[in-house]
Structure formats: C-alpha cells, structure tokens
Amino acid sequence: MKRTLLGAALAAALLAAGAPAAAPASATEPAPAGPALADGWQPPLRTQGRYVVDANGDRFKLKSANWHGAQGSWTGSGDQADPANHHDGEKSDQMPLGLDRAPVATILADFHALGINSVRLPFSNEMLHDQRPVPDAAVAANPQLRGKTPLQVFDAVIAATTAEGFAVVLNNHTDTSRWCCGLDGNERWNTSQTTTRWEEDWLFMARRYRDNERVVGADLYNEVRRTITDDANWGRGDSHDWWTATQRLGDRILTEANPDLLVIVEGINWQGIPTDITPHWRPTLEPARTLSHTLVASDKLVYSAHFYGYTGPNHTGATGTGETHDWRYQELSRDELFAALRRQAFFVAADTGRHYTAPVWISEFGIGADETNPQARAWFGNFVDHLIANDTDFAYWPLVGFTGHGRWKLLDYDSEGRRSGILDGDDWRAADWRRLVTAPALTGPVPAADAWDMLNLDHADAVQSLRARARGDWDPGARKGVCPDGQRLVGLAHRDGRGLCTDAGSAGLADPTGGSTVVTDERYVKEGDWAGGYTKLQCPRDRFMTGYSVRGQAVSAVLCAAASRALPVTGRTVWFDRGDNRPAGDPGGEFAQGAYKGQCATGEYAAGIAFTGAWAKGKTPDALLCRTL
C-alpha cells in the first residue's frame, strides 16, 4: 500500500531497522492442522496458460482482498505504544487488524458476505522473530489468543480462515514492522536484512504451512522500489537484482519447502528520482516481456502488480516533495488508462503463447469511501471495468479497518465491534464492488495450453529440470541451461546464452525412464554433414536437445533426452549467425533481446548445435539442426 509516499520522504534519512527479538520458532514446531476441505475447489493450485486452476483443472479465479496488519502499522516516529503514531491510528500490534474489536468468526463471516474466495495476508520479517506475547487488549474480542506471539496469532488466523474455505496467499510485505511505503527501510527484500535471512524466513514459512493445503501461494515481496541512493533492477545479476532474487527463491521454495505453492512475483514498483529533470518511472511487469521467470515447476508462476488512481506510470503519487508533472492514472482518459494498464501488466495474461504468459493478479488496488474527486471515482469505475473485461484475478486493499479513521477499508469495526462499510449504508463503491465480484468469468475446466519458457544464462546456471538437477553437474565449470521437465529446447541466441523451451506440438515427448546423454564431440553426426566446416554437437538417434552449456560465449556441450517414441531424422539447418531465423509470428516471444536468434518450428525438435572457432567467431552458437517431430 502506498499511502505513505516515496517522493515525500526523498530528503529524509532512512530510519534504523528494528532488530528482531529472537529467531523464528523451529521449523519443526507444528503449525495448526490443515482444515477439512470444503466443497467448491480442490487444492493445490497451479497455472495453465494465463489462468490459475485447481487440482481438477478447473479455473480458480483469485477474487481476493488484503487482510493487513501483521506487516506492521507504526509510522516510524514517536512512541510505538501510542495509536496516534500508527497509520490511520490503527495500531495493529503485528496482527491482522480487528482482532481487538470482533471475533475472528464474525470477521470471516463478513468476508464471505463480500463475495471473496481468497485472502492476501501480509507479514513482516520482524514479526516472525518477535517472541513477545501480544498485548491482551489487542485480542480483546478473541481472548483465546491471549499470551500468544504475533506469529502464533498469525497461525490461528490462517487456520480459521482456511477452515472457512478461503485460500490464503502469504505476502512478505515488509522487512521491519513499519507501515509501507516510501523511504522506510523496506524498499527492497534486503534493505534492512540480508538476502540470506529473507530466503530462510520464506523457507520457514513455506514449511510451516505446507500441511494446510489452502495456504496456496507465496507472494515474495511487496512494492520493490528505490532507496535514497539506488534502484532495484531486473536482470543485472547483482545484489539488488529482483529478477535473480525471485528466480532463486522461487526455485528454493518449490524444491526445499513446499512444491504445491504458487510463486507470486510482483513487478518493480519504482525506479529513478521523481523530479521533472531526472529519469523515473514505474516499471511494473514490463521487464518480463524480454526476461521472464522459468521455475523448476513452470506451472507455479503468477505475476502481480498494484495500481492506484493517485499514482501513475511515471508518478509516485506524491504531493509536494517528490511530485512531478507526469499524469496520474486517474487523470488519463479511459482509453489512455487501458493502454497504460495493458503495457505495464495486463499484457502478461493477454499475450498467449509467450515465454512470459502467466496469470496476472492485481494484488492491490483501492479507493476511499470518502473520496469526492470525480476523476478518482471515474478511475475506480474504469479500473473495475478493465478487471471485468479481462477476467483478471484481483485483491482489494484493504479488508478491515477502524471506524472513524481512513475509509479505504471494505469493512470498518468500531470499538464495540459494530460493523460498517461497503456492506452497509450508502458507500458509493458498493455498486462497482458488486459488479466486480459477480461478473461473468471463465469457470470449469481450462483447456490445455502450450508452455513456453526461456532460459537465462547471463550470470549463472538455469537448470530448470528436476531430473537434470538430480543428475548432478554434467559440465563442471560451464554455465548450463536445461528446459523444465516435459519441454524441449527449440531456440538459442547467437550470444549471451539465452534459450527458448516449449512443449508445443510434443506433449509427453520425453521418456521418463530413458535418461539423458551429454554430447561434447561429433560422434553422433551420422546422417550427413548439415553444417559443413563447422563443429557439430548432435544428439544420438531418438534423442532431442533439452539443454546446453557455454563457457563464456563458447558452446561447451549439449544435453539430450531420450524420446518416448522413434523420432524422424528428416530435418534442416537453421542458421542465425548473421540475423534472426525464427518461425513467422515469433512463437514464444522475444527471449534474447539484442542478439541474433535461431528457432525450430513448432512441429520440429532441435537435434544439434553447430559452431566454429574461426577468427572472430568465438565458438558461439551459429546453427541449429531442426528435425520434424
């Protein structure tokens, strides 16, 4: 949430991060048991093309809202015990809001009345490590929670929420228990802590709830943005690289902690210094168009983005310091707004058959019940229209608040536990909300979709096959790329080690018991010289390329998987040493921007690579042997 603005704090020094009181409870400490599953959907969830589906392959649209509070509410100055020093005066005590005012069963019944099926549940890393019991007054309406730590309260809330049939997505919202966002020490996943601690905390959380099947997702970090001195980036390979951090952590969660979770990656929320004379923008998911994630389970990736009317594609949302003359979203025309939304995020789901195609979850958007600006109100209606028209997964911010404070919340509770808000009275947002949660949407079985994934060897290995990982290091000292299990390699870049994988036209091509072969010489070139004068690394008969390795820019080896059937040897040579050579329409999308690319057709498999060590060539990939499937 952006109600504390980035630009307004540009001149301020960062406050010191609060130190955690202790390490989290042991990962072996039992979390509450999973619920008896209700009717309607069957976990675990996965993705199929642009949709989230359940275990039966039926669409599960994330119709969600954010139950905030456990991420912290302190504004960063003054006595933390004083509610006046907490955002909107809503002192959360590192717990989901409202537990002092209404029984959790009542709150969840109200969630049902809203028409949502899932809850985004933010937390802070500091909360996980705080071993102090919560104040009795903070759980006055839920006395069963007295004496518990914030994490134990979080456990109880998750158990109750999932027992009611809701899906829960865990969201690492902040490092420290301070209200997000701005220059607050929570700009990156590693601003106030190390990347190692961030990863270990996530593994702890994924393991803690793995027996509760309705805990369905890991939303890795909220609104990554600039510190005073530096931007986060997408793909540079350094310690501020959000793409690298999420790629690594996503794979670790799926292989070391909980293979059933959706891995949710939000785009970069802000880069640059917001003045009229310095570069600045809101990248959101635009970098994924040329550098997307490929997880070891490629059907577990969901992308997310946040949109608020008072911000903009190049506007922080600030007034005063940090405000620029860029347009805010609410100042755009309807057509301009829709174009900006598609460019920044919605393209990920709208563009089918691309390496970046995935579900997009708009995991934060919202507006105040007390909003009177006609532009802001029009923006909200237009934004809801766009969500409906695109059948987009969503999560409103926030669910619960306190009567008499800011009115962005869907549900307000007063000190006596009496409810008000969008379900009661004359809240102007109610009509748009009802339209959104009851809108027609795809339901039932989702048709199978071809998978397309890219491999990025820019800075490290990209071994996205569990079978190849189990095999061990098949080319020590080289950077290696291997397609996810079930896919084959169809494209390569002339430089920089990028690759493209798919299962299009060949689902089930691999023999699950057939093993793989590493090829480092020409011993299997037996059906003719398909690249005269060039060195050729070719797969044996009835095997196809699933991986490759490079040393620097030079080809080192190819990895060939056994096919489940005999493969034809009729084929062609696809040269890409002097320009792109790809099928019409560029299936799979741009996977190696700035480099020449070669790609087999959808009805072909790659059986070999050709290269040369001639002067100025450098043994980079020059040609593919593409054979008919």
Side-chain angles (χ1 to χ4, degrees), residues 3 8 43 51 137 212 230 239 242 298 312 319 326 363 396 440 445 465 484 528 551 612:
R3 297 307 297 273
Y51 296 106
N212 186 337
D230 196 15
S239 63
W242 178 229
S298 61
T319 55
D326 302 294
S363 53
Y396 185 89
S465 160
R551 297 174 188 271
T612 178

Side-chain angles (χ1 to χ4, degrees), residues 1 66-67 70-72 119-129 154 168-178 180-181 185-206 217-225 242 245-246 249 253 262 264-266 304 306 361 363-364 397:
M1 178 59 172
N66 288 266
W67 193 0
Q71 84 282 3
V119 174
R120 183 177 185 243
L121 203 56
F123 67 88
S124 74
N125 298 88
E126 182 179 349
M127 181 274 282
L128 304 183
H129 297 259
F154 200 73
V168 167
V169 175
L170 306 172
N171 162 237
N172 187 189
H173 207 77
T174 49
D175 299 346
T176 67
S177 293
R178 254 190 81 177
C180 169
C181 295
N186 294 307
E187 297 88 346
R188 291 191 312 273
W189 63 100
N190 57 3
T191 303
S192 300
Q193 62 184 1
T194 65
T195 296
T196 297
R197 178 172 132 170
W198 177 64
E199 290 185 358
E200 293 305 316
D201 281 355
W202 255 122
L203 296 177
F204 165 78
M205 292 292 276
D219 184 353
L220 299 184
Y221 201 72
N222 183 74
E223 296 188 5
V224 171
R225 55 200 183 275
W242 178 229
T246 48
L249 177 57
I253 287 172
L262 297 174
I264 300 167
V265 179
E266 187 180 332
S304 73
H306 295 176
W361 186 35
S363 53
E364 285 189 26
W397 181 282

Side-chain angles (χ1 to χ4, degrees), residues 375-626:
Q375 283 186 323
R377 285 193 173 201
W379 168 83
F380 188 69
N382 287 335
F383 191 78
V384 167
D385 286 346
H386 200 62
L387 292 174
I388 292 171
N390 289 276
D391 195 5
T392 303
D393 302 70
F394 61 85
Y396 185 89
W397 181 282
L399 265 168
V400 175
F402 295 168
T403 301
H405 298 287
R407 297 195 62 202
W408 280 56
K409 298 84 177 174
L410 294 176
L411 302 169
D412 289 294
Y413 296 94
D414 69 12
S415 58
E416 301 301 319
R418 292 183 293 258
R419 188 192 75 197
S420 60
I422 205 165
L423 297 174
D424 310 283
D426 59 353
D427 192 316
W428 71 268
R429 304 169 300 171
D432 285 324
W433 177 256
R434 285 192 297 270
R435 286 195 305 117
L436 180 59
V437 296
T438 62
L442 179 69
T443 59
V446 174
D450 294 334
W452 293 88
D453 287 293
M454 66 175 295
L455 299 176
N456 173 23
L457 274 63
D458 289 1
H459 307 290
D461 286 355
V463 178
Q464 300 313 111
S465 160
L466 292 173
R467 293 175 63 188
R469 289 184 177 212
R471 175 191 176 116
D473 190 345
W474 50 271
D475 191 0
R479 302 195 315 282
K480 294 163 284 293
V482 185
C483 296
D485 293 326
Q487 298 186 34
R488 70 190 189 280
L489 188 73
V490 291
L492 276 178
H494 181 54
R495 293 185 178 275
D496 298 327
R498 298 282 184 93
L500 183 67
C501 307
T502 191
D503 64 359
S506 64
L509 182 63
D511 180 349
T513 63
S516 56
T517 302
V518 178
V519 178
T520 58
D521 56 35
E522 293 190 333
R523 71 183 67 188
Y524 300 112
V525 181
K526 297 181 178 179
E527 290 91 12
D529 189 347
W530 51 272
Y534 284 69
T535 302
K536 294 164 285 291
L537 304 185
Q538 181 177 328
C539 295
R541 284 288 300 268
D542 299 329
R543 291 182 179 249
F544 60 95
M545 283 180 56
T546 58
Y548 57 101
S549 58
V550 294
R551 297 174 188 271
Q553 299 282 329
V555 174
S556 180
V558 299
L559 187 68
C560 305
S564 57
R565 57 181 172 84
L567 295 176
V569 296
T570 303
R572 63 193 177 105
T573 303
V574 173
W575 293 96
F576 53 98
D577 56 331
R578 298 180 183 179
D580 282 1
N581 191 347
R582 304 184 67 196
D586 295 341
E590 174 58 78
F591 65 93
Q593 188 175 44
Y596 296 148
K597 294 164 288 292
Q599 183 175 333
C600 300
T602 302
E604 296 176 325
Y605 70 97
I609 300 176
F611 59 92
T612 178
W615 181 82
K617 285 291 189 177
K619 299 183 179 179
T620 60
D622 291 318
L624 284 172
L625 174 59
C626 298

Side-chain angles (χ1 to χ4, degrees), residues 319-377:
T319 55
T321 304
E323 185 174 11
T324 64
H325 288 87
D326 302 294
W327 295 104
R328 301 174 191 264
Y329 291 114
Q330 66 195 33
E331 295 169 337
L332 301 176
S333 72
R334 181 180 170 94
D335 289 345
E336 289 169 338
L337 172 64
F338 291 176
L341 295 175
R342 174 164 182 138
R343 183 185 74 250
Q344 292 194 284
F346 285 72
F347 76 91
V348 172
D351 296 352
T352 58
R354 298 292 186 262
H355 60 80
Y356 53 79
T357 302
V360 169
W361 186 35
I362 305 304
S363 53
E364 285 189 26
F365 73 103
I367 197 168
D370 53 355
E371 180 62 73
T372 59
N373 182 344
Q375 283 186 323
R377 285 193 173 201

